[in-house]
Amino acid sequence: MKKTQVAIIGAGPAGLAAAIEVARAGGEVTLLDENHKPGGQLFKQIHKFFGSREHRAGTRGFRIGEKLLEDTEKLGVKVLLDSPVYSIFKDFVIGYISDGREKAIQAERIILATGASENALAFPGCTLPGVMGAGAAQTMINVHRVLPGKKIIMVGSGNVGLIVSYQLLQAGADVIALIEAAAEIGGYGVHASKIRRAGVPIYTSYTIQEVIGKNSVEGAVIVGLDEKWKPIKGTEKLIEADTVCIAVGLSPLAELAWLAGCEFAFVPSLGGHVPKHDRNMETTIKGLYAAGDLTGIEEASSAMEEGRLAGIACAESLGLYSKEEARDLKEKVWARLNTLRTGPFGKKRRDAKDKLIEMMEGGADIG
Amino acid sequence: MRVKHHPILGEDKRKENVTIVVDGKKIKAIEGEPIAAALMAAGIRVFRKTPKKNQPRGVFCAIGRCTDCVMTVNGIPNVRTCVTLVEDGMVIETQKGLGKWRESR
């Protein structure tokens, strides 16, 4: 059987950052990903990132992706593409498919960086072609350069809903309504102002009642909500549209962590069930680390920092760094992570993460 | 519809250089793009019909997770078209229900 020192599953921002850290410390890394190309969802992010200079704020997501790929290549990270991992067996044997065949690789350490997937929303007509994830539309316009439709309704005003609305406009589509069930916009004001300035009507306290159409989306009925989130009769509006994008959050892709036997916690503010981990991003299974959206839905910047933490800790456990060297490196990453986790959005995540880490140190279960 | 010009990404210089056959009709596609992108560019939205109620389905997640966009490709059913790249001469069919295996070449 093939062997590797460190196997990293998922070549998105967290996995790439982890690979770079392990390789930089002198470790031998095999990075596995089910896609044809590495980079995860970074290459559809054409907007400038937030944060400080260390987070490469002001740099567009896909440029950050290019830099990560350049670094992994320079450091000699082995990347297995088109290789979906289907399970983790005893003694860290990883089962994956390549060229239509089952294969296996055994690792001394594993870092899971499997990411997240978009949530769906149930309403009559939600399965009609033309109803799709906002991230799906983003992939189509920014990676594959194809418009999913011309007249688009966006459901959800978190950062994904706001950013993708703007990017749909940039790609030449009309965003004819952005609807949000809450009374206030969910994402950053700066993103909301951009689409407001572009003339997109924003309906807060509105939800989607149904989508109509024979073989694909032809329109949607939206309805106002009262303070108890109940539809208000008489406020229904029929909007003609050919596409409805759903931006109502993401869920961690945690299957492999479940299969490996990790202990989980249910933390709604992190997106649902997440594997418990400590400050080294090590899970309840010794030698198995997790990083990025899998351990709680955040942004690519935080995913990269978590990947770095996991990579450094992993290298330390293999004796590639002394305790002191690793401590200094990890402290720097934690300082950056903590700045990312500030403000009304970041604070909530920081508190949730702190609790998750406390649980590993013997604290009370928050699930 | 293709996004030819883009304020950030610039001009898309790729050419429609391969031909795929969708339900018997020839469609131009770009080498290296997923089947779903080629179909979307050609205005095709219904990728399959459900087994029991014969309802239409199309692309939902576009990253290979949801399996809503599966079609029969070169006689193999349940192929995720959002993560399967086009090849010249590929035969693609709107899938009915769970589809049928068939030798096509």
Side-chain angles (χ1 to χ4, degrees):
Chain A
M1 195 192 313
K2 263 198 286 193
K3 286 189 197 280
T4 187
Q5 197 171 26
V6 180
I8 300 177
I9 303 167
L16 287 169
I20 289 166
E21 287 303 332
V22 176
R24 193 176 276 156
E28 182 253 328
V29 188
T30 305
L31 183 55
L32 296 106
D33 196 284
E34 64 175 333
N35 295 292
H36 311 292
K37 289 175 190 163
Q41 306 311 314
L42 265 177
F43 286 95
K44 67 190 192 191
Q45 304 192 23
I46 60 167
H47 53 278
K48 291 177 179 171
F49 277 27
F50 282 173
S52 60
R53 190 142 39 107
E54 295 98 76
H55 302 122
R56 310 201 60 209
T59 309
R60 296 183 193 279
F62 67 103
R63 296 273 179 236
I64 295 175
E66 284 165 0
K67 179 73 174 52
L68 288 175
L69 295 191
E70 205 184 293
D71 289 352
T72 42
E73 205 169 304
K74 261 192 227 152
L75 289 161
V77 172
K78 201 173 158 206
V79 189
L80 300 179
L81 297 170
D82 287 310
S83 300
V85 172
Y86 65 86
S87 197
I88 294 167
F89 301 103
K90 217 177 136 226
D91 301 325
F92 284 1
V93 173
I94 296 164
Y96 66 99
I97 311 277
S98 170
D99 289 330
R101 285 174 195 283
E102 272 183 75
K103 296 196 177 156
I105 184 166
Q106 188 173 30
E108 290 170 45
R109 302 284 186 279
I110 297 175
I111 301 174
L112 293 176
T114 44
S117 66
E118 294 193 273
N119 294 336
L121 195 63
F123 49 80
C126 67
T127 56
L128 268 181
V131 178
M132 66 178 69
Q138 194 184 25
T139 300
M140 282 299 167
I141 51 174
N142 296 343
V143 180
H144 306 312
R145 306 283 300 257
V146 175
L147 269 174
K150 285 179 189 153
K151 293 175 85 175
I152 297 167
I153 298 173
M154 179 66 67
V155 183
S157 72
N159 282 331
V160 172
L162 297 174
I163 290 171
V164 176
S165 290
Y166 191 70
Q167 293 177 356
L168 281 162
L169 296 172
Q170 286 179 317
D174 258 343
V175 180
I176 49 174
L178 178 107
I179 67 168
E180 167 59 56
E184 275 155 36
I185 285 171
Y188 295 140
V190 48
H191 293 315
S193 321
K194 264 174 120 175
I195 66 160
R196 206 180 262 128
R197 278 202 299 275
V200 175
I202 299 177
Y203 296 87
T204 49
S205 296
Y206 262 88
T207 192
I208 196 147
Q209 185 167 290
E210 66 171 322
V211 164
I212 50 170
K214 195 167 172 278
N215 275 316
S216 67
V217 177
E218 288 165 30
V221 179
I222 65 168
V223 63
L225 296 172
D226 65 19
E227 58 279 11
K228 285 180 182 148
W229 298 62
K230 291 266 182 305
I232 305 166
K233 273 220 160 85
T235 58
E236 296 88 354
K237 277 191 219 315
L238 172 67
I239 302 178
E240 230 180 90
D242 56 27
T243 303
V244 175
C245 288
I246 310 292
V248 294
L250 298 125
S251 298
L253 278 173
E255 293 90 339
L256 287 175
W258 285 111
L259 284 165
C262 292
E263 276 179 38
F264 274 71
F266 183 71
V267 190
S269 56
L270 293 176
H273 286 97
V274 289
K276 293 182 191 173
H277 65 77
D278 63 9
R279 286 178 72 82
N280 285 330
M281 306 310 293
E282 194 169 12
T283 66
T284 50
I285 293 170
K286 204 170 161 38
L288 182 73
Y289 300 77
D293 274 356
L294 159 66
T295 68
I297 307 300
E298 292 189 82
E299 283 147 18
S301 311
S302 338
M304 286 184 274
E305 298 297 4
E306 285 198 341
R308 285 186 189 109
L309 271 180
I312 296 163
C314 188
E316 179 189 8
S317 79
L318 289 163
L320 300 167
Y321 281 133
S322 73
K323 210 175 166 193
E324 291 71 32
E325 283 171 324
R327 190 195 53 214
D328 290 350
L329 289 167
K330 285 188 284 188
E331 262 171 24
K332 275 184 203 146
V333 181
W334 269 109
R336 292 199 299 265
L337 252 181
N338 289 340
T339 26
L340 279 172
R341 290 173 180 155
T342 50
F345 301 100
K347 174 83 171 53
K348 235 204 243 166
R349 294 199 301 254
R350 183 174 175 176
D351 292 346
K353 275 279 176 183
D354 284 348
K355 272 190 195 153
L356 193 66
I357 289 164
E358 259 171 50
M359 282 162 55
M360 285 291 282
E361 291 157 358
D365 199 317
I366 52 168
Chain B
M1 203 173 60
R2 296 200 182 270
V3 184
K4 276 279 170 207
H5 315 277
H6 195 286
I8 310 245
L9 298 168
E11 200 75 13
D12 188 359
K13 294 198 182 89
R14 297 174 305 163
K15 293 247 154 47
E16 291 183 337
N17 54 355
V18 296
T19 305
I20 56 175
V21 182
V22 185
D23 292 333
K25 216 179 115 196
K26 282 184 180 167
I27 281 171
K28 286 279 185 196
I30 300 171
E31 198 175 358
E33 75 179 343
I35 297 167
L39 266 52
M40 206 175 257
I44 297 168
R45 308 192 90 183
V46 179
F47 285 32
R48 67 180 177 102
K49 294 285 184 77
T50 57
K52 286 182 187 164
K53 296 186 177 170
N54 203 36
Q55 289 175 337
R57 292 286 190 275
V59 172
F60 180 77
C61 83
I63 55 167
R65 291 262 62 89
C66 75
T67 68
D68 232 15
C69 70
V70 298
M71 298 178 89
T72 302
V73 177
N74 289 340
I76 301 167
N78 302 311
V79 173
R80 296 173 299 168
T81 56
C82 69
V83 290
T84 305
L85 309 184
V86 295
E87 281 166 21
D88 199 28
M90 212 174 220
V91 178
I92 296 150
E93 292 158 278
T94 302
Q95 186 169 314
K96 297 212 164 48
L98 302 174
K100 282 196 187 105
W101 286 83
R102 181 174 51 74
E103 288 297 323
S104 84
R105 57 176 185 182

